[in-house]
Amino acid sequence: MVLLMNSGVEAVETCLKAARKWGYEVKGVPANCAEIITVEGNFHGRTITAISFSSDDQYKDGFGPLTPGFITIPYGDADALEKAINQNTVAFLVEPIQGEGGVNMPPEGYLSKVREICTKHNVLMITDEIQTGLGRTGKLFACEWENVRPDMVAIGKALSGGFYPVSACLADREVLELFKPGDHGSTFGGNPLGCVIAREALKILVEDGLIDNAIEQGNYLLERLSRIESDHIVDVRGRGLLIGVEVKPESGGAIRFTKALVEKSLLCKDTHGTVVRFTPPLVITREDIDWAVERIEEVFTED
Ligand SMILES: Cc1ncc(COP(=O)(O)O)c(C=O)c1O
């Protein structure tokens, strides 16, 4: 089933509410005792609940009191997940690759181990694919790289081709059907214009081969970026068209490079202080990448 919302954070919030309801009504967790496990370095948006389990102080300072019921463990550590689960755990929320956290790739096999652990302990696996989903990493969902099917998925951003607020929570009937009329909703969630745009964006994504383009051009961009010889760069990583270039802390922070790139008409974002994140549109061509890399190289090789 699909429950349509507007912003990405509302899709996440919808997953969390549905998971709590499932915990009380299906799993049998005592009232108001549900726990949800999250990971360090996450980014799920900026409502009070989403910032409550952020590990970034900037998002939280000045906005307390925060929402209780969340536990945070290290990212990429499946053993930590198994240890953190107790009888009141209803869900584990994770990004397949942390976008805002600095394009952090979990170790190979992490998502499938998470799937196994969640199934074993009757805990819902929720993936936030708002940044990774809908083709960006070269699969419709980044979880497909490990053949993993989560219980709930949050999507947004690219659901409208990136220019209209449409987001969604995807889940099986046994979870989403627990919402009764009036339990959850939004005036504009699933509005006609949003739905038409989302359907068209999905159609274009598939029919124009944008998912394959993401992996083909992404591999090329990753390779070109990896070959740049720069004293500032410590790591180049990513999958498909979600790529991070990590710079040394002493190089003056990622923002210095993103500002220089804007001067050359290239828009990208600094994340986590030291990572320049490249998320070009999925329609990008090899010629566009050659044009961009020339400029990126200039910026990273200047003193
Ligand atoms: C992984 C992830 N989750 C949630 C969000 C929040 O989406 P929105 O800004 O549409 O609320 C973002 C936004 O960048 C995101 O990257």
Side-chain angles (χ1 to χ4, degrees), residues 7-9 12 43-45 95 100 128 130-131 157:
S7 62
V9 73
V12 174
F43 184 77
H44 299 288
E95 293 156 85
E100 206 63 27
D128 179 342
I130 289 167
Q131 190 148 156
K157 294 189 194 288

Side-chain angles (χ1 to χ4, degrees), residues 47-113:
T47 57
I48 285 181
T49 291
I51 61 162
S52 296
F53 46 83
S54 169
S55 31
D56 188 325
D57 289 337
Q58 194 206 336
Y59 295 134
K60 293 191 283 195
D61 284 352
F63 302 114
L66 303 173
T67 310
F70 296 94
I71 286 167
T72 303
I73 60 168
Y75 184 57
D77 185 344
D79 294 337
L81 171 63
E82 190 145 33
K83 283 198 196 102
I85 291 174
N86 62 44
Q87 70 281 7
N88 293 337
T89 308
V90 296
F92 176 54
L93 170 66
V94 70
E95 293 156 85
I97 296 173
Q98 289 185 327
E100 206 63 27
V103 191
N104 299 326
M105 318 263 299
E108 190 86 33
Y110 174 62
L111 296 170
S112 43
K113 274 197 209 133

Side-chain angles (χ1 to χ4, degrees), residues 51-216:
I51 61 162
S52 296
F53 46 83
S54 169
S55 31
D56 188 325
D57 289 337
Q58 194 206 336
Y59 295 134
K60 293 191 283 195
D61 284 352
F63 302 114
L66 303 173
T67 310
F70 296 94
I71 286 167
T72 303
I73 60 168
Y75 184 57
D77 185 344
D79 294 337
L81 171 63
E82 190 145 33
K83 283 198 196 102
I85 291 174
N86 62 44
Q87 70 281 7
N88 293 337
T89 308
V90 296
F92 176 54
L93 170 66
V94 70
E95 293 156 85
I97 296 173
Q98 289 185 327
E100 206 63 27
V103 191
N104 299 326
M105 318 263 299
E108 190 86 33
Y110 174 62
L111 296 170
S112 43
K113 274 197 209 133
V114 165
R115 175 66 279 178
E116 246 176 71
I117 293 167
C118 287
T119 304
K120 181 172 151 200
H121 296 279
N122 196 24
V123 164
L124 297 176
M125 176 178 182
I126 309 175
T127 50
D128 179 342
E129 293 243 23
I130 289 167
Q131 190 148 156
T132 52
L134 303 178
R136 177 144 302 276
T137 71
K139 299 269 188 196
L140 189 60
F141 295 107
C143 273
E144 287 173 51
W145 284 104
E146 294 196 19
N147 295 317
V148 162
R149 185 183 190 272
D151 299 294
M152 309 183 85
V153 184
I155 52 174
K157 294 189 194 288
L159 183 53
S160 65
F163 71 99
Y164 192 83
V166 192
S167 66
C169 160
L170 317 176
D172 284 332
R173 232 165 244 287
E174 72 168 274
V175 180
L176 266 189
E177 239 175 19
L178 298 172
F179 281 139
K180 298 285 170 286
D183 279 355
H184 188 63
S186 159
T187 302
F188 291 110
N191 71 79
L193 180 58
C195 291
V196 168
I197 294 174
R199 285 173 70 96
E200 193 61 24
L202 291 173
K203 198 168 152 231
I204 290 170
L205 191 71
V206 174
E207 288 180 2
D208 290 9
L210 299 188
I211 304 175
D212 290 341
N213 195 56
I215 194 67
E216 191 185 324

